[in-house]
Amino acid sequence: MSGVRPNEYTFAGVLNACADLAAERVGKEVHAYMTRVGYDPCSFAASALVHVYSKCGNTEIARRVFNQMPRPDLVSWTSLIVGYAQNGQPDMALHFFELLLRSGTKPDEITFVGVLSACTHAGLVDKGLEYFHSLKEKHGLVHTADHYACVIDLLARSGRFNEAENIIDSMPMKPDKFLWASLLGGCRIHGNIELAERAAKALFEIEPENPATYITLANIYANAGLWTEVSKVRKDMDNRGIVKKPGKSWVEIKRQVHVFLVGDTSHPKISYIHEYLAELSKKMKEEGYVPDTNFVLHDVEEEQKEQNIFYHSEKLAVAFGIISTPPGTPIKDAIDINFFYPQCMPQWKIDAAVGEDCALLFMKFVDI
């Protein structure tokens, strides 16, 4: 409005702000303005474009911008690798990491966080361990707490707890809350109660007021049918005055944000949402799908557990997005679950062409 022309640093600053807020629509508007006035494809602004699209889950456009850069810098390489890793395309993340190495660009510690994350999502345990050790032996970098958290997450998810414990015991620094949270998450998957209690004890000492640890431990006990232990955890939460905030999901339709809580009935279109979800649920069961109710915390009947899953806040948000937009419209849904630690479960972004097959697949994914 002042008439002062922005430069590459201005663009980079506002794009980084868009990335932090996952505000892709605003980022696209800035990108369009940059295209009109012209910008240097080798500048900080170009790198920031790759970052904002990767952070928002639009890896297709991120790669397009990346390919237009004559000499991509390490920030751009890393943004693309991390973007692919965090948005369900681990193979592409590792592919671009190999291209980075061939290009002669030296990776840094942050690059390896994306690489290890990609290995975790792809279940490539041995490959991840290879990258973890090469970080120091081949590339001369120093393992950080984030690297250790990633490799523990990698091992814990695959149930290789002995190796995870050996690494924890040999770490040169004290394990942080993110590492213990990763270990606790793996214990939840595989039902390792003894190690879960060790991880939870460490987390209670680090941040005793965080409800995530209590809820996760209670879920592990519940899955094992140890309802007395579940009651003890709940009582401990009550005594400490700790309350778990309900998860919420939101979807933006025509620049209006619609927020949903689990079991929400306040939305004016809720009857249409429930009707659509009921149709999907019927089709899923006809295909032989059985909902996974193992991690529904409450000691209730199986039918009630299925209902709890059915009215998951993200299912409500996505269903509303589907019925409110023409077929083929990309949906951006965000979920804010206080149950998880920030980098163990970043703010999810789902970007998919809307269709019946996609919807069925997504509803199964939310249960997992």
Side-chain angles (χ1 to χ4, degrees), residues 66-356:
F66 178 87
N67 289 338
Q68 293 171 351
M69 301 175 69
R71 295 178 302 279
D73 59 10
L74 180 58
V75 173
S76 300
W77 280 106
T78 300
S79 294
L80 196 61
I81 291 169
V82 172
Y84 277 126
Q86 291 183 344
N87 289 282
Q89 296 172 284
D91 292 340
M92 291 300 296
L94 298 180
H95 170 70
F96 272 90
F97 179 66
E98 294 299 331
L99 290 179
L100 179 152
L101 297 179
R102 292 179 208 165
S103 72
T105 304
K106 183 178 173 62
D108 66 3
E109 290 83 359
I110 299 175
T111 312
F112 273 97
V113 171
V115 171
L116 292 173
S117 177
C119 291
T120 298
H121 290 300
L124 301 174
V125 183
D126 293 329
K127 190 68 174 178
L129 290 172
E130 180 184 327
Y131 282 129
F132 177 75
H133 294 301
S134 72
L135 184 151
K136 184 176 182 180
E137 297 169 0
K138 185 177 179 180
H139 299 281
L141 300 172
V142 177
H143 288 126
T144 67
D146 287 337
H147 298 141
Y148 280 105
C150 286
V151 79
I152 293 304
D153 190 23
L154 176 70
L155 292 167
R157 284 173 182 260
S158 62
R160 292 166 64 165
F161 294 110
N162 289 336
E163 293 171 76
E165 286 190 280
N166 289 336
I167 289 178
I168 292 173
D169 294 337
S170 63
M171 286 175 58
M173 76 278 288
K174 187 176 181 179
D176 62 14
K177 61 182 181 181
F178 301 119
L179 183 148
W180 289 119
S182 296
L183 183 62
L184 186 61
C187 292
R188 181 176 183 263
I189 295 171
H190 297 281
N192 189 325
I193 297 176
E194 182 179 350
L195 194 53
E197 290 175 337
R198 178 188 174 186
K201 181 180 179 181
L203 286 167
F204 289 147
E205 293 176 357
I206 296 172
E207 45 179 10
E209 304 304 317
N210 192 326
T213 306
Y214 297 89
I215 299 300
T216 306
L217 184 60
N219 269 284
I220 294 171
Y221 285 141
N223 190 43
L226 302 175
W227 298 108
T228 301
E229 299 302 321
V230 173
S231 298
K232 289 180 180 178
V233 174
R234 289 175 175 168
K235 184 176 181 181
D236 196 17
M237 289 181 68
D238 291 339
N239 292 338
R240 294 173 178 266
I242 298 172
V243 179
K244 174 190 174 292
K245 295 180 181 179
K248 60 182 178 181
S249 302
W250 63 93
V251 62
E252 182 177 334
I253 304 294
K254 296 181 180 179
R255 300 198 176 191
Q256 181 179 354
V257 176
H258 299 261
V259 181
F260 296 87
L261 299 174
V262 60
D264 202 338
T265 59
S266 62
H267 196 277
K269 298 275 187 163
I270 196 64
S271 60
Y272 297 102
I273 295 171
H274 285 177
E275 182 179 346
Y276 184 72
L277 285 175
E279 292 175 5
L280 285 181
S281 179
K282 181 180 178 181
K283 292 177 181 178
M284 290 160 65
K285 289 184 177 180
E286 288 174 354
E287 292 181 4
Y289 169 70
V290 178
D292 183 0
T293 60
N294 285 335
F295 293 122
V296 177
L297 176 61
H298 302 291
D299 186 11
V300 296
E301 297 298 325
E302 195 69 20
E303 183 178 352
Q304 181 60 47
K305 290 184 178 182
E306 290 189 22
Q307 287 295 311
N308 291 348
I309 293 176
F310 183 79
Y311 294 114
H312 188 290
S313 63
E314 193 163 16
K315 287 186 177 181
L316 298 176
V318 173
F320 175 68
I322 293 173
I323 66 175
S324 303
T325 54
T329 304
I331 289 184
K332 288 290 181 181
D333 166 65
I335 184 168
D336 172 20
I337 308 183
N338 295 288
F339 178 85
F340 295 98
Y341 288 85
Q343 92 278 22
C344 296
M345 178 59 72
Q347 187 181 77
W348 282 1
K349 289 290 172 182
I350 310 301
D351 185 4
V354 177
E356 186 173 290

